[in-house]
Amino acid sequence: MDDASALPHATSPKHQQIVRAAEALFLAHGYGAVSMDAVARQAGVSKATLYAHFVSKDGLFASIVADKGQDNPVVESLFPDTVADLRAALREIGQRLLRFMLRDRTLSILRIAIAESARFPELGVAFYANGPQKFRDRFRAWLDTLAAQGLVETPDTLTATYQFMALLRSDMFLRAGLGLPPPPGEAEIDATVTNAVETWLRAYAARA
Amino acid sequence: MDDASALPHATSPKHQQIVRAAEALFLAHGYGAVSMDAVARQAGVSKATLYAHFVSKDGLFASIVADKGQDNPVVESLFPDTVADLRAALREIGQRLLRFMLRDRTLSILRIAIAESARFPELGVAFYANGPQKFRDRFRAWLDTLAAQGLVETPDTLTATYQFMALLRSDMFLRAGLGLPPPPGEAEIDATVTNAVETWLRAYAARA
DNA sequence: GTCTATAGGCCGATAGAC
DNA sequence: GTCTATCGGCCTATAGAC
């Protein structure tokens, strides 16, 4: 997003101050509610300096949000080639994914992406590609290896993947996205994962 | 929200023009992106008239959104006391609910509720209560009667309800909420409903 | 590169005539 | 009740000194 030939280098201390401040403010309050004055104040620089590093508010916002969602719960060790206990493996994956989806940071990015999807269509695309799509592809590939080993039975591992993710979200993801109190507790998360895994296994576990 | 003793009557023609204009603009563009000038222009009244009917922009927005989400797909005839074909009944309910959730109007309201849930916390509560919660309660009551008849088997009809709704949403609800192209097609909706019903039946249909 | 100071515009909200 | 006209403020963005 930056023009490296004209704009200061991204490793400059003030640049990083600006990025940190903008990230915190945009994620917390959204695009419209954050002014460039507020970003400059929080970053401890003048507005002119801010505009020396980023061409516009749009540009600043886009460069901030474009780099988000890079972290995700896809850890290779979660998807072992050989599985002794399918139920336990699914629970571990489910716990990891659901807790990631319910993190404040994840929900903040989701809210921004949904709220500004009309003004910045690429936001929705980036969020989906970096988050759900990345997990979906990795999980589906894992299911394919399990299917080849006869551990799961389905002609459609893509649908099985979508359903696993949907069962995990249950209604907690919607409720958390809407900011409904109370926030999900440990017990509720554990129970949702267990229920999701049991229902999914009834549909897709090999009938021995 | 209005002070009936000081503000013009809600049945006034100009009042309705304002409400219609504000509803269209807020749902299409969100709270921050819509100015009172724009509402007045689209309604064909002056800004002073607008402020004679609504005390502030916040008040206008709240009174608009508070009345949304009253329509929902809960139709009593969808939940018959006796069910000859459980699969067919679930498919009919699923088709109805999923198509409702994917309507432009529903998604617009959802986006607004999520985007402005920080500034207007009651928005998220109202959306959830008028939409998902209403369907959830009605569907669960229906499942209870089916369980009493031995058609479904579960000690936890609430979880079974959440899972049915989640399986229907699959990932289409998230994708549509993020505005990702292309919008869901007929074939995709039909297939998602079928897959949801089949997976749910494997988990909860009585083993006869 | 960074600052102070400000241009120029749009915003929400109101005053006052009719 | 409805209008025209306008206020004061905050916004994005920039000019000019250092």
Side-chain angles (χ1 to χ4, degrees):
Chain A
M1 210 62 63
D2 291 353
D3 182 359
S5 66
L7 266 39
H9 197 269
T11 57
S12 143
K14 302 245 175 190
H15 189 102
Q16 298 181 350
Q17 291 171 29
I18 294 171
V19 167
R20 266 198 298 272
E23 176 181 325
L25 290 173
F26 280 136
L27 289 188
H29 307 295
Y31 178 82
V34 173
S35 71
M36 291 298 258
D37 279 281
V39 174
R41 197 180 321 123
Q42 171 121 351
V45 303
S46 74
K47 247 197 309 189
T49 299
L50 206 170
Y51 277 96
H53 285 263
F54 295 92
V55 292
S56 69
K57 185 183 178 183
D58 278 21
L60 174 60
F61 182 69
S63 82
I64 295 296
V65 185
D67 289 334
K68 299 306 122 201
Q70 298 297 0
D71 49 341
N72 64 66
V74 173
V75 177
E76 286 307 314
S77 61
L78 270 182
F79 304 98
D81 285 342
T82 61
V83 172
D85 186 342
L86 180 57
R87 175 174 278 104
L90 287 172
R91 278 194 190 179
E92 176 63 27
I93 294 171
Q95 286 274 352
R96 187 87 64 130
L97 176 59
L98 183 55
R99 284 169 196 275
F100 173 80
M101 292 192 297
L102 294 177
R103 278 168 51 185
D104 277 347
R105 180 183 181 78
T106 307
L107 292 171
S108 290
I109 298 173
L110 171 72
R111 288 197 194 96
I112 299 284
I114 289 180
E116 308 298 341
S117 64
R119 204 188 318 231
F120 303 94
E122 72 276 14
L123 241 62
V125 177
F127 179 88
Y128 191 78
N130 287 330
Q133 204 168 71
K134 197 171 284 186
F135 180 89
R136 179 199 74 188
D137 292 340
R138 190 63 192 83
F139 187 85
R140 187 198 183 178
W142 184 64
L143 281 190
D144 283 332
T145 70
L146 298 188
Q149 298 169 46
L151 282 172
V152 307
E153 281 180 355
T154 175
D156 185 357
T157 49
L158 184 59
T159 292
T161 298
Y162 283 139
Q163 290 191 338
F164 182 71
M165 295 172 74
L167 288 168
L168 279 176
R169 285 193 281 263
S170 183
D171 81 319
M172 279 200 295
F173 195 50
L174 175 62
R175 287 184 51 216
L178 289 167
L180 295 185
E186 289 294 315
E188 195 180 0
I189 292 177
D190 287 349
T192 299
V193 170
T194 297
N195 291 331
V197 168
E198 292 310 313
T199 291
W200 192 90
L201 284 174
R202 287 220 199 185
Y204 296 112
R207 304 262 177 256
Chain B
M1 210 62 64
D2 291 351
D3 182 356
S5 65
L7 266 39
H9 197 270
T11 58
S12 145
K14 302 246 174 192
H15 189 102
Q16 296 181 351
Q17 291 170 29
I18 293 170
V19 167
R20 265 197 300 271
E23 177 181 324
L25 289 173
F26 280 136
L27 288 188
H29 307 295
Y31 178 82
V34 172
S35 71
M36 293 297 260
D37 280 280
V39 174
R41 197 180 321 124
Q42 171 120 350
V45 304
S46 73
K47 235 182 342 174
T49 300
L50 205 170
Y51 277 95
H53 286 262
F54 296 91
V55 292
S56 68
K57 186 183 178 184
D58 277 22
L60 174 59
F61 182 70
S63 82
I64 295 296
V65 185
D67 289 334
K68 299 307 120 199
Q70 299 296 359
D71 49 340
N72 64 68
V74 174
V75 177
E76 286 307 315
S77 61
L78 270 181
F79 304 97
D81 285 342
T82 62
V83 172
D85 186 343
L86 179 57
R87 176 174 278 104
L90 289 171
R91 279 194 190 180
E92 176 64 27
I93 295 171
Q95 286 275 352
R96 187 87 65 131
L97 177 59
L98 183 55
R99 283 168 196 277
F100 173 81
M101 291 194 296
L102 294 176
R103 280 168 50 183
D104 277 348
R105 182 183 181 75
T106 307
L107 291 171
S108 292
I109 298 172
L110 171 72
R111 289 196 194 97
I112 299 286
I114 289 179
E116 309 298 340
S117 63
R119 204 187 321 230
F120 302 95
E122 72 277 14
L123 240 61
V125 177
F127 178 89
Y128 191 78
N130 287 329
Q133 202 168 72
K134 197 171 285 185
F135 180 89
R136 178 200 74 186
D137 292 340
R138 190 62 192 82
F139 187 85
R140 188 198 184 177
W142 184 63
L143 282 190
D144 283 333
T145 71
L146 298 189
Q149 298 169 44
L151 284 171
V152 306
E153 281 179 356
T154 173
D156 184 356
T157 50
L158 183 59
T159 292
T161 298
Y162 283 138
Q163 290 191 339
F164 182 70
M165 296 172 73
L167 288 168
L168 281 175
R169 285 193 282 263
S170 183
D171 80 321
M172 281 199 295
F173 197 49
L174 175 62
R175 288 184 51 215
L178 289 168
L180 294 187
E186 289 293 316
E188 196 181 359
I189 293 176
D190 287 349
T192 300
V193 170
T194 297
N195 291 331
V197 169
E198 293 309 313
T199 291
W200 193 90
L201 283 174
R202 287 217 198 185
Y204 296 111
R207 304 265 175 252

